[in-house]
Amino acid sequence: MIDLHLHLDGSLPPELFFKLAAMEGVGLPAGDVDGLLPYLTAPRDCKSLNEFLEKFALPVSCLQSEETLFEAARGLAKELGREGLVYAEVRFAPQLHRQKGLTQRQAIQAVIRGLEKGREGTSLKTGLILCCMRGRDNREENLETAAQAAALLGAGVCGLDLAGAEALYPTRDFEELFCKARKENIPFTIHAGEADGPDSIRAALSFGARRIGHGVRVTEDKALLEEVIRKQVTLEMCVTSNLQTKAVREGREHPALWLLRQGAAVTINTDDMTVCKTTISEELKWLRSMGMTREEERKLWENALKGAFLPEEEKEALGREVRLRL
Ligand code: HPA
Ligand code: ZN
């Protein structure tokens, strides 16, 4: 199994919060996992991506030092290895971890070290995607994230992303940032077509995005859908997350399987294992219950391999590993 789209802060094992909060000197709103879960997971009646994103405040407050970032990345990689993933591209936004004075570089290096440590003794390989954030006053921080991605590409970092409130800060406003990324040859993906429509996806593709985070609203525009299929743009789809953020109203309306059958390069991912209370196995189980065949499942892994931000020779080795397990 492969997961190309999972956020570190939204995917931490809930038990780990007690250790992280103590290390960080942060008070938690509950003393046990059951009490803590409502603060970490999106509510059943979550209304929008904006409300969903509120669930990141607590994890982010517990991840403000190299030690806690290391522990978090280690804990997540260990969990992913235990679950049987062979490859995961974990992502986080280094600029959110500077409240106590860390530089972006320090935050990134701590996460890289944590991932390396956590996957020891497992079959898991990892990459790290750095998220820039949608916002009004963080142009410099985003440019710094892109500069760090350029500096550390192939040395723990594999790509760049844009996350945050898509409906409030449209994709078209980030042209300068991704123009820079493209000049530096940094592979990138952009969250688009989740809380905003086809224009957001179109903007991301015009910047040169090779992959789209979610992209569910590609179905609203026939010409765009044809382009996404023709160019085999990787769609990083996350079903449970889409239901919570109301990008899709109901499970049976989710377009993942339909898009796969139309020939789009669909992949299945978790987005946020803790906020969404899911795992990659759960996401697959749901797709199977909707009628996904074994052949279609194989296609998902082929798509994930093709879309991975990895050099070709590493993709081939990973492909052999994946096929062995099918
Ligand atoms: N969209 C945008 N930003 C995010 C998401 C998402 O689904 N999950 C975590 N950060
Ligand atoms: Zn995401």
Side-chain angles (χ1 to χ4, degrees):
M1 293 184 292
I2 294 175
D3 195 334
L4 296 181
H5 188 135
L6 83 155
H7 297 257
L8 172 71
D9 44 0
S11 302
L12 299 177
E15 318 74 64
L16 194 56
F17 277 87
F18 300 102
K19 184 172 184 185
L20 297 175
M23 287 167 75
E24 207 65 74
V26 167
L28 288 177
D32 59 32
V33 168
D34 284 347
L36 197 56
L37 275 180
Y39 296 91
L40 301 177
T41 61
R44 264 176 182 276
D45 60 349
C46 182
K47 288 182 187 57
S48 66
L49 174 62
N50 296 344
E51 189 181 346
F52 178 91
L53 293 176
E54 289 169 11
K55 293 296 164 187
F56 292 83
L58 180 57
V60 165
S61 73
C62 293
L63 300 172
Q64 295 298 332
S65 60
E66 289 174 277
E67 292 76 14
T68 49
L69 283 162
F70 173 87
E71 276 303 315
R74 183 169 76 118
L76 175 59
K78 219 166 140 185
E79 183 64 28
L80 294 171
R82 201 180 295 136
E83 218 203 313
L85 271 83
V86 289
Y87 183 60
E89 287 179 2
V90 174
R91 60 184 79 191
F92 88 118
Q95 66 189 264
L96 300 181
H97 303 273
R98 306 197 53 242
Q99 292 170 8
K100 293 184 184 162
L102 282 188
T103 62
Q104 292 202 31
R105 175 72 149 229
Q106 286 170 322
I108 297 162
Q109 296 285 29
V111 170
I112 293 172
R113 286 196 303 271
L115 291 173
E116 278 170 2
K117 188 77 187 164
R119 67 180 191 229
E120 268 176 15
T122 74
S123 310
L124 177 72
K125 289 188 179 55
T126 56
L128 179 63
I129 295 176
L130 303 182
C131 301
C132 298
M133 292 305 294
R134 294 176 190 270
R136 220 185 307 278
D137 307 318
N138 61 338
R139 174 178 171 272
E140 292 302 323
E141 290 280 20
N142 281 341
L143 289 172
E144 170 65 8
T145 306
Q148 291 301 330
L152 293 167
L153 197 64
V157 171
C158 66
L160 197 65
D161 176 33
L162 178 63
E166 187 189 5
L168 303 181
Y169 306 102
T171 303
R172 63 172 179 274
D173 292 351
F174 296 86
E175 182 168 15
E176 178 202 17
L177 176 66
F178 289 102
C179 195
K180 217 171 158 67
R182 195 169 55 187
K183 278 204 194 106
E184 303 265 15
N185 282 322
I186 309 165
F188 58 88
T189 174
I190 294 181
H191 281 75
E194 179 191 25
D196 199 0
D199 282 350
S200 180
I201 300 175
R202 208 174 275 113
L205 296 182
S206 78
F207 300 163
R210 291 203 217 158
R211 303 185 347 202
I212 298 290
H214 304 291
V216 281
R217 292 184 61 183
V218 70
T219 54
E220 293 172 22
D221 187 314
K222 195 158 179 282
L224 180 64
L225 175 56
E226 280 168 8
E227 181 182 347
V228 161
I229 295 172
R230 181 167 34 86
K231 293 185 176 161
Q232 287 291 287
V233 176
T234 305
L235 297 178
E236 305 161 359
M237 306 207 92
C238 313
V239 175
T240 302
S241 167
N242 294 154
L243 298 177
Q244 291 180 328
T245 61
K246 302 294 181 288
V248 177
R249 260 179 318 204
E250 278 191 66
R252 59 193 147 103
E253 286 179 21
H254 199 284
L257 261 183
W258 181 80
L259 285 166
L260 184 66
R261 288 168 182 166
Q262 298 302 303
V266 171
T267 65
I268 291 295
N269 311 277
T270 53
D271 203 16
D272 297 289
M273 294 197 297
T274 308
V275 179
C276 302
K277 243 185 165 173
T278 193
T279 59
I280 198 81
S281 307
E282 284 296 319
E283 298 293 306
L284 290 171
K285 211 189 278 174
W286 181 83
L287 282 159
R288 290 181 197 126
S289 79
M290 298 302 283
M292 178 174 68
T293 64
R294 283 184 71 95
E295 200 45 50
E296 286 166 343
E297 193 167 330
R298 229 171 262 137
K299 187 72 185 152
L300 289 180
W301 304 131
E302 289 295 337
N303 291 341
L305 276 169
K306 273 195 207 140
F309 289 154
L310 274 176
E312 280 311 312
E313 61 283 5
E314 287 183 44
K315 267 190 207 185
E316 278 166 31
L318 184 60
R320 284 191 290 275
E321 182 94 8
V322 170
R323 283 175 211 113
L324 268 181
R325 288 160 193 257
L326 286 177

